[in-house]
Amino acid sequence: MGYAIIDIGGKQLRVEPGRFYDVRHFTQNLNTWGSDARISTSRVLLIRNGSEISIGSPWLANAVVKGRFLHSCFGSKLIIKKIFPKRKTQRTRGYRENIIRFAIDSIQFSCQNANNC
């Protein structure tokens, strides 16, 4: 087995087939696609298969990573406190970010484009 580094949601992720990952800011219309929708991305930066390493500049040609959406969820809660020392008061606010969880099904290297594989 190998792994790939892909550019998704503004971040670079090291992905392996059969594992799931959480991504922020991936897409706005997950509710219209629904759960278990298939995705494929050709923004692959690096692929390692055994002892072979292929590096793209900026992306690899003929490389596709396929996966599926599992569900959307919330991240851990961030607590923001603002303390006003002169008034001896404080304000507490919380924020939870929307996260999309997706699973990687396969990493393919010899594809012409993302739709044909």
Side-chain angles (χ1 to χ4, degrees):
M1 279 281 187
Y3 65 88
I5 297 177
I6 61 173
D7 180 25
I8 190 165
K11 297 206 175 221
Q12 296 176 0
L13 287 177
R14 180 184 187 263
V15 296
E16 297 176 9
R19 299 194 62 186
F20 64 88
Y21 301 92
D22 295 332
V23 176
R24 329 177 288 143
H25 307 299
F26 181 67
T27 182
Q28 299 295 330
N29 55 0
L30 180 65
N31 294 331
T32 59
W33 287 356
S35 181
D36 208 36
R38 303 281 177 189
I39 60 166
S40 62
T41 181
S42 58
R43 298 181 77 163
V44 181
L45 301 167
L46 179 138
I47 288 182
R48 179 174 184 222
N49 190 5
S51 62
E52 290 183 25
I53 296 177
S54 301
I55 300 173
S57 61
W59 299 296
L60 284 169
N62 304 332
V64 174
V65 174
K66 291 187 169 191
R68 66 188 186 285
F69 288 124
L70 297 178
H71 56 83
S72 61
C73 54
F74 288 109
S76 59
K77 189 162 193 169
L78 299 174
I79 304 296
I80 298 121
K81 285 191 176 187
K82 185 168 185 177
I83 299 172
F84 303 100
K86 303 273 186 198
R87 291 188 280 172
K88 297 180 183 169
T89 59
Q90 65 182 6
R91 180 175 63 208
T92 303
R93 293 188 183 185
Y95 174 71
R96 295 186 74 177
E97 197 161 34
N98 290 331
I99 292 178
I100 295 173
R101 180 165 284 181
F102 70 99
I104 299 296
D105 293 330
S106 65
I107 299 171
Q108 299 172 346
F109 185 60
S110 59
C111 295
Q112 295 302 320
N113 59 17
N115 296 330
N116 291 343
C117 288

